[in-house]
Amino acid sequence: MSKEIQQRAKFDMIRYANCWEDAELLLEALNIGSSTKCISIASAGDNSLSLLVKNPEIVYAVDLSIPQIACAEFKKNAIKFLDYPSFLELLGFKTSSRRPDFYKEIESHLSPESKYYFSQNPQIIENGIINVGKFERYFQIFAKYIMPFVLSKKDLRELFLLKSIEAQRIFYETKMNNWRFKALFKVFFSRAAMGRIGRDKEFFKYVDNQTVSSRIKSRADTALTSIPAWNNPYLNYILLSNFDYVLPHFAREENFNIIKKNIDRLVLKTGTINQAAQETGLKFDAFNLSDIFEYMDPQLFKNISRRLIETANTGARFAYWNMLVDRKISEILPERANCLQDLSQKLYEKDKAFFYKAFFVDEVK
């Protein structure tokens, strides 16, 4: 992310308490092995933690936002110092009255900045950190106030119990995708609503004038008729405000144990990813760039891409999403990077975080 967006939008809160990009796509895209050096947009920490499942040499998780780094550090230390059931309770995956007690077990291991942030925001611990981001509150409003006009919670839960795509498609087309859903979706996922209560209006600066809600609705239609709901944590939270049917990748027990073993390979840094990459003095093999290019004008996007390539080994891979703005490194710097088009398309077609318009895997020449 650039200083430009840092100056235009506020970064004094947890915007994302969960990562809203599919971690499983990253793991397939980045070709991580035991000698791989990774650098990753931290966001809420989830996907940077998931990279540890592949046993890389190191993962640097970087973010401009001090609260986002605090969120990632909270999760890192919860994994490191708690057992699995306690971890689930502290983060908010399970109901609990013991979160303050669990927090005390990790508090002394946090940085002074993170400890201060949580001391000023005790509701984060009380409510479970995965529920307190601005984006999560946006989806909580959708689940609580919008979806009851479409389907009962009982019927919505049925969606996650269906175990065939054909049954899911019929459910969506006959029960869910009615005129109320279409009308309410159009309003709730409009540029105005998302900018005000979901993301930040400045995140739409480079979005053209096409209707945002119609684009997202089209992707939702595709996802709900062709991508399994029963193992989709993003859809689970959007519709029900919980992860009752499927946990995010990093929080599944089989992944938790591997991540715990590798947890000290995760290093957190505050700042821009290009500056952080240069400051390490390393050459990286794998880059998780989230959707940071959405917020940059074309020239800044090109400049940042060039700087990142300068910190990359030959054959390094960049993985990143486009949500509403077209950005592709291999198009602006064709002499430096090549798009793995077949792999990009194959992975995009099964992206569980269905609101993105494209996913790209670029390889450094």
Side-chain angles (χ1 to χ4, degrees):
M1 220 178 281
S2 68
K3 285 186 177 179
E4 182 187 272
I5 188 63
Q6 185 178 10
Q7 293 165 352
R8 290 188 283 112
K10 292 183 178 180
F11 291 90
D12 57 353
M13 71 185 87
I14 294 178
R15 287 190 175 278
Y16 306 102
N18 303 276
C19 283
W20 292 94
E21 298 104 23
D22 192 340
E24 293 179 63
L25 265 61
L26 284 177
L27 297 182
E28 287 193 58
L30 292 178
N31 195 30
I32 297 170
S34 59
S35 62
T36 302
K37 297 177 180 66
C38 306
I39 191 161
S40 173
I41 294 295
S43 184
D46 308 8
N47 288 356
S48 301
L49 288 161
S50 283
L51 296 178
L52 296 175
V53 169
K54 292 293 187 177
N55 300 303
E57 182 176 317
I58 196 164
V59 175
Y60 279 91
V62 184
D63 209 286
L64 278 173
S65 167
I66 290 173
Q68 291 298 153
I69 290 293
C71 184
E73 188 181 9
F74 186 104
K75 293 177 181 179
K76 172 183 176 178
N77 283 285
I79 291 173
K80 183 172 182 178
F81 295 106
L82 299 179
D83 60 26
Y84 186 62
S86 303
F87 158 82
L88 292 178
E89 288 189 48
L90 175 60
L91 266 66
F93 292 113
K94 300 292 183 183
T95 57
S96 178
S97 60
R98 301 186 294 168
R99 291 190 188 115
D101 294 329
F102 292 135
Y103 176 67
K104 288 177 183 176
E105 296 186 39
I106 72 167
E107 184 179 21
S108 64
H109 303 285
L110 298 174
S111 66
E113 295 82 3
S114 293
K115 279 192 283 189
Y116 178 77
Y117 181 74
F118 293 122
S119 73
Q120 298 302 300
N121 297 278
Q123 74 281 0
I124 293 175
I125 296 154
E126 293 163 7
N127 296 330
I129 198 168
I130 65 167
N131 298 310
V132 300
K134 182 178 181 181
F135 207 46
E136 285 70 26
R137 287 193 292 272
Y138 179 61
F139 288 137
Q140 288 160 17
I141 292 169
F142 183 70
K144 185 174 181 179
Y145 297 107
I146 303 298
M147 286 310 299
F149 287 101
V150 179
L151 278 175
S152 69
K153 186 165 282 190
K154 179 182 177 182
D155 284 340
L156 273 177
R157 290 186 179 279
E158 182 184 336
L159 173 65
F160 295 94
L161 299 176
L162 301 173
K163 299 300 180 184
S164 81
I165 285 295
E166 180 60 17
Q168 181 179 309
R169 182 189 63 77
I170 293 170
F171 178 95
Y172 180 64
E173 292 178 350
T174 61
K175 289 189 174 185
M176 187 172 172
N177 195 30
N178 52 39
W179 69 267
R180 290 187 186 89
F181 184 67
K182 293 173 183 177
L184 293 167
F185 195 103
K186 182 177 181 179
V187 173
F188 195 79
F189 288 98
S190 67
R191 179 174 182 156
M194 289 187 73
R196 182 176 180 183
I197 59 176
R199 304 180 90 200
D200 187 293
K201 64 180 181 179
E202 290 297 335
F203 290 3
F204 295 88
K205 182 177 177 67
Y206 302 109
V207 178
D208 62 33
N209 291 324
Q210 294 183 36
T211 304
V212 169
S213 61
S214 64
R215 296 191 201 178
I216 298 174
K217 178 61 166 62
S218 176
R219 291 173 220 158
D221 291 341
T222 299
L224 282 156
T225 56
S226 63
I227 299 174
W230 59 86
N231 66 352
N232 189 334
Y234 314 101
L235 188 64
N236 193 160
Y237 198 94
I238 291 167
L239 296 181
L240 296 169
S241 296
N242 59 52
F243 294 108
D244 286 357
Y245 290 98
V246 55
L247 293 168
H249 180 271
F250 86 102
R252 298 170 199 164
E253 188 169 12
E254 66 273 17
N255 298 327
F256 174 90
N257 292 324
I258 301 171
I259 293 168
K260 181 185 277 285
K261 181 185 69 173
N262 294 329
I263 198 67
D264 288 329
R265 301 181 193 182
L266 180 67
V267 179
L268 301 172
K269 292 179 71 69
T270 305
T272 63
I273 192 166
N274 54 295
Q275 291 171 338
Q278 291 169 337
E279 287 170 3
T280 66
L282 301 175
K283 292 287 188 179
F284 291 94
D285 308 290
F287 294 72
N288 163 30
L289 300 176
S290 181
D291 65 345
I292 62 169
F293 301 133
E294 293 271 318
Y295 320 128
M296 302 178 188
D297 66 50
Q299 187 56 53
L300 184 61
F301 164 50
K302 187 172 185 177
N303 291 342
I304 296 296
S305 298
R306 185 179 287 115
R307 291 172 193 164
L308 288 172
I309 288 173
E310 290 171 357
T311 67
N313 282 315
T314 300
R317 290 186 179 182
F318 293 171
Y320 56 98
W321 282 261
N322 288 179
M323 183 174 176
L324 295 165
V325 181
D326 294 323
R327 297 285 185 261
K328 193 174 181 181
I329 295 172
S330 56
E331 283 188 357
I332 59 161
L333 295 170
E335 73 283 2
R336 304 297 308 275
N338 175 56
C339 181
L340 303 181
Q341 193 63 52
D342 290 346
L343 177 61
S344 299
Q345 186 60 32
K346 172 190 168 186
L347 294 176
Y348 176 68
E349 288 173 0
K350 58 183 181 179
D351 192 350
K352 298 184 186 74
F354 54 84
F355 24 78
Y356 296 97
K357 69 185 295 184
F359 175 71
F360 294 118
V361 186
D362 286 342
E363 192 167 76
V364 176
K365 292 182 179 179

